Amino acid sequence: DVADAPRNTAVIRNKKKNERAKQRVEDGHEHCANFADEWLAVYRQLQTNDVVRFIGASPNRVPSVVLYSDNQLRDLKAFCFNRSAGSVLSFDKTFNLGGIYVTPSVYKNMALQQRRTSDYPVFLGPVFVHGH
């Protein structure tokens, strides 16, 4: 019907834009316009994502986030706190990713051994995302 037809191309573009935005929200993606929106999106991940475990904030500081999985924590307890065959828990240098810094921890997984070198592979432990 002529009455239901779009008035102009702007109506069609707006409809497509709104449908894409609605689909992003349904898929779990958020549009972050500024730094505060990004941290709010991370805070929401605390409720839904099993890897985001802690968010801390203090006045005049960028919030800090700790990321780890249950498997990582179990491996840390098994390999880094075992006196007879333990691994060293190490912290790599801090990587600057713009307004935030990332400090990963690593350990050697003593349950696996590389065939060529007979060395144990290095695994990623908890990761700290912070501002200072």
Side-chain angles (χ1 to χ4, degrees):
D1 188 23
V2 175
D4 293 333
R7 291 185 305 266
N8 54 31
T9 57
V11 174
I12 296 170
R13 282 194 304 270
N14 287 340
K15 180 168 176 44
K16 285 185 176 182
K17 179 183 172 187
N18 291 337
E19 286 175 357
R20 282 193 306 266
K22 184 179 177 183
Q23 186 62 41
R24 277 195 308 270
V25 170
E26 289 174 2
D27 292 342
H29 302 301
E30 294 186 45
H31 173 70
C32 298
N34 58 32
F35 194 66
D37 288 342
E38 291 172 0
W39 280 104
L40 186 58
V42 171
Y43 183 75
R44 287 188 190 118
Q45 290 289 319
L46 186 62
Q47 309 300 323
T48 60
N49 194 324
D50 292 338
V51 176
V52 179
R53 296 300 179 106
F54 173 79
I55 297 176
S58 60
N60 301 323
R61 298 256 180 180
V62 175
S64 300
V65 180
V66 178
L67 309 167
Y68 64 88
S69 68
D70 290 334
N71 291 340
Q72 286 174 323
L73 199 59
R74 186 178 62 242
D75 286 349
L76 277 178
K77 288 179 183 176
F79 302 128
C80 296
F81 298 102
N82 184 350
R83 288 185 182 205
S84 62
S87 173
V88 175
L89 177 63
S90 305
F91 293 90
D92 284 349
K93 68 177 186 170
T94 300
F95 297 97
N96 182 356
L97 298 179
I100 60 169
Y101 299 94
V102 177
T103 304
S105 65
V106 294
Y107 61 94
K108 287 191 176 186
N109 188 330
M110 309 301 263
L112 302 173
Q113 194 171 20
Q114 296 175 349
R115 288 184 183 175
R116 289 187 184 142
T117 63
S118 297
D119 196 15
Y120 301 105
V122 176
F123 273 48
L124 181 67
V127 176
F128 306 102
V129 180
H130 52 94
H132 295 287

